[in-house]
PDB file of all heavy atoms in Angstrom:
ATOM      1  N   LYS X 145     104.442 118.446 111.696  1.00  0.00           N
ATOM      2  CA  LYS X 145     103.689 119.688 111.855  1.00  0.00           C
ATOM      3  C   LYS X 145     102.785 119.886 110.646  1.00  0.00           C
ATOM      4  O   LYS X 145     103.206 119.733 109.498  1.00  0.00           O
ATOM      5  CB  LYS X 145     104.636 120.876 111.994  1.00  0.00           C
ATOM      6  CG  LYS X 145     103.949 122.190 112.306  1.00  0.00           C
ATOM      7  CD  LYS X 145     104.962 123.306 112.502  1.00  0.00           C
ATOM      8  CE  LYS X 145     104.295 124.609 112.876  1.00  0.00           C
ATOM      9  NZ  LYS X 145     105.280 125.711 113.065  1.00  0.00           N
ATOM     10  N   VAL X 146     101.523 120.216 110.906  1.00  0.00           N
ATOM     11  CA  VAL X 146     100.542 120.437 109.846  1.00  0.00           C
ATOM     12  C   VAL X 146      99.921 121.812 110.058  1.00  0.00           C
ATOM     13  O   VAL X 146      99.431 122.121 111.154  1.00  0.00           O
ATOM     14  CB  VAL X 146      99.446 119.357 109.854  1.00  0.00           C
ATOM     15  CG1 VAL X 146      98.516 119.536 108.648  1.00  0.00           C
ATOM     16  CG2 VAL X 146     100.048 117.963 109.846  1.00  0.00           C
ATOM     17  N   GLU X 147      99.932 122.640 109.030  1.00  0.00           N
ATOM     18  CA  GLU X 147      99.434 124.012 109.123  1.00  0.00           C
ATOM     19  C   GLU X 147      98.275 124.218 108.156  1.00  0.00           C
ATOM     20  O   GLU X 147      98.149 123.511 107.154  1.00  0.00           O
ATOM     21  CB  GLU X 147     100.543 125.008 108.760  1.00  0.00           C
ATOM     22  CG  GLU X 147     101.802 124.877 109.572  1.00  0.00           C
ATOM     23  CD  GLU X 147     102.930 125.735 109.026  1.00  0.00           C
ATOM     24  OE1 GLU X 147     102.881 126.108 107.824  1.00  0.00           O
ATOM     25  OE2 GLU X 147     103.872 126.014 109.793  1.00  0.00           O
ATOM     26  N   MET X 148      97.455 125.216 108.454  1.00  0.00           N
ATOM     27  CA  MET X 148      96.486 125.691 107.472  1.00  0.00           C
ATOM     28  C   MET X 148      96.756 127.158 107.182  1.00  0.00           C
ATOM     29  O   MET X 148      97.051 127.950 108.088  1.00  0.00           O
ATOM     30  CB  MET X 148      95.037 125.517 107.923  1.00  0.00           C
ATOM     31  CG  MET X 148      94.025 126.122 106.924  1.00  0.00           C
ATOM     32  SD  MET X 148      92.299 125.631 107.178  1.00  0.00           S
ATOM     33  CE  MET X 148      92.259 124.073 106.280  1.00  0.00           C
ATOM     34  N   ARG X 149      96.639 127.485 105.908  1.00  0.00           N
ATOM     35  CA  ARG X 149      96.753 128.862 105.437  1.00  0.00           C
ATOM     36  C   ARG X 149      95.530 129.138 104.563  1.00  0.00           C
ATOM     37  O   ARG X 149      95.086 128.260 103.817  1.00  0.00           O
ATOM     38  CB  ARG X 149      98.033 129.064 104.624  1.00  0.00           C
ATOM     39  CG  ARG X 149      99.331 128.853 105.418  1.00  0.00           C
ATOM     40  CD  ARG X 149     100.530 128.754 104.494  1.00  0.00           C
ATOM     41  NE  ARG X 149     101.799 128.625 105.184  1.00  0.00           N
ATOM     42  CZ  ARG X 149     102.645 129.619 105.426  1.00  0.00           C
ATOM     43  NH1 ARG X 149     102.337 130.856 105.007  1.00  0.00           N
ATOM     44  NH2 ARG X 149     103.782 129.415 106.047  1.00  0.00           N
ATOM     45  N   ILE X 150      94.999 130.347 104.651  1.00  0.00           N
ATOM     46  CA  ILE X 150      93.858 130.740 103.820  1.00  0.00           C
ATOM     47  C   ILE X 150      94.215 132.036 103.097  1.00  0.00           C
ATOM     48  O   ILE X 150      94.507 133.054 103.736  1.00  0.00           O
ATOM     49  CB  ILE X 150      92.575 130.923 104.646  1.00  0.00           C
ATOM     50  CG1 ILE X 150      92.248 129.620 105.397  1.00  0.00           C
ATOM     51  CG2 ILE X 150      91.412 131.306 103.736  1.00  0.00           C
ATOM     52  CD1 ILE X 150      91.022 129.720 106.288  1.00  0.00           C
ATOM     53  N   ALA X 151      94.217 131.993 101.771  1.00  0.00           N
ATOM     54  CA  ALA X 151      94.586 133.141 100.957  1.00  0.00           C
ATOM     55  C   ALA X 151      93.408 134.106 100.811  1.00  0.00           C
ATOM     56  O   ALA X 151      92.256 133.730 101.051  1.00  0.00           O
ATOM     57  CB  ALA X 151      95.058 132.671  99.579  1.00  0.00           C
ATOM     58  N   PRO X 152      93.671 135.344 100.414  1.00  0.00           N
ATOM     59  CA  PRO X 152      92.585 136.310 100.206  1.00  0.00           C
ATOM     60  C   PRO X 152      91.530 135.841  99.200  1.00  0.00           C
ATOM     61  O   PRO X 152      90.370 136.256  99.284  1.00  0.00           O
ATOM     62  CB  PRO X 152      93.317 137.559  99.700  1.00  0.00           C
ATOM     63  CG  PRO X 152      94.686 137.455 100.292  1.00  0.00           C
ATOM     64  CD  PRO X 152      94.994 135.980 100.280  1.00  0.00           C
ATOM     65  N   ASN X 153      91.920 134.990  98.238  1.00  0.00           N
ATOM     66  CA  ASN X 153      90.950 134.478  97.256  1.00  0.00           C
ATOM     67  C   ASN X 153      90.188 133.260  97.767  1.00  0.00           C
ATOM     68  O   ASN X 153      89.540 132.562  97.008  1.00  0.00           O
ATOM     69  CB  ASN X 153      91.645 134.151  95.939  1.00  0.00           C
ATOM     70  CG  ASN X 153      92.700 133.070  96.077  1.00  0.00           C
ATOM     71  OD1 ASN X 153      92.944 132.542  97.169  1.00  0.00           O
ATOM     72  ND2 ASN X 153      93.341 132.723  94.977  1.00  0.00           N
ATOM     73  N   ARG X 154      90.296 132.988  99.080  1.00  0.00           N
ATOM     74  CA  ARG X 154      89.576 131.924  99.785  1.00  0.00           C
ATOM     75  C   ARG X 154      90.123 130.526  99.529  1.00  0.00           C
ATOM     76  O   ARG X 154      89.505 129.539  99.961  1.00  0.00           O
ATOM     77  CB  ARG X 154      88.071 131.966  99.474  1.00  0.00           C
ATOM     78  CG  ARG X 154      87.405 133.271  99.885  1.00  0.00           C
ATOM     79  CD  ARG X 154      85.915 133.220  99.648  1.00  0.00           C
ATOM     80  NE  ARG X 154      85.271 134.480 100.058  1.00  0.00           N
ATOM     81  CZ  ARG X 154      83.965 134.705  99.974  1.00  0.00           C
ATOM     82  NH1 ARG X 154      83.165 133.763  99.499  1.00  0.00           N
ATOM     83  NH2 ARG X 154      83.466 135.870 100.357  1.00  0.00           N
ATOM     84  N   VAL X 155      91.231 130.422  98.848  1.00  0.00           N
ATOM     85  CA  VAL X 155      91.852 129.111  98.687  1.00  0.00           C
ATOM     86  C   VAL X 155      92.446 128.686 100.028  1.00  0.00           C
ATOM     87  O   VAL X 155      93.224 129.416 100.636  1.00  0.00           O
ATOM     88  CB  VAL X 155      92.948 129.144  97.607  1.00  0.00           C
ATOM     89  CG1 VAL X 155      93.731 127.829  97.602  1.00  0.00           C
ATOM     90  CG2 VAL X 155      92.337 129.389  96.239  1.00  0.00           C
ATOM     91  N   MET X 156      92.042 127.497 100.486  1.00  0.00           N
ATOM     92  CA  MET X 156      92.568 126.925 101.728  1.00  0.00           C
ATOM     93  C   MET X 156      93.694 125.962 101.380  1.00  0.00           C
ATOM     94  O   MET X 156      93.567 125.173 100.445  1.00  0.00           O
ATOM     95  CB  MET X 156      91.466 126.176 102.473  1.00  0.00           C
ATOM     96  CG  MET X 156      90.297 127.042 102.899  1.00  0.00           C
ATOM     97  SD  MET X 156      88.898 126.035 103.517  1.00  0.00           S
ATOM     98  CE  MET X 156      88.273 125.356 101.954  1.00  0.00           C
ATOM     99  N   SER X 157      94.778 126.031 102.132  1.00  0.00           N
ATOM    100  CA  SER X 157      95.910 125.138 101.905  1.00  0.00           C
ATOM    101  C   SER X 157      96.322 124.478 103.209  1.00  0.00           C
ATOM    102  O   SER X 157      96.495 125.149 104.223  1.00  0.00           O
ATOM    103  CB  SER X 157      97.104 125.904 101.322  1.00  0.00           C
ATOM    104  OG  SER X 157      96.810 126.424 100.045  1.00  0.00           O
ATOM    105  N   VAL X 158      96.443 123.156 103.160  1.00  0.00           N
ATOM    106  CA  VAL X 158      96.995 122.400 104.277  1.00  0.00           C
ATOM    107  C   VAL X 158      98.452 122.098 103.933  1.00  0.00           C
ATOM    108  O   VAL X 158      98.747 121.520 102.885  1.00  0.00           O
ATOM    109  CB  VAL X 158      96.211 121.101 104.521  1.00  0.00           C
ATOM    110  CG1 VAL X 158      96.876 120.268 105.619  1.00  0.00           C
ATOM    111  CG2 VAL X 158      94.768 121.419 104.908  1.00  0.00           C
TER     112      VAL X 158
END
Side-chain angles (χ1 to χ4, degrees):
K145 186 177 183 180
V146 186
E147 304 171 339
M148 176 166 275
R149 297 167 177 262
I150 302 178
N153 62 0
R154 300 184 179 181
V155 171
M156 298 170 286
S157 296
V158 175

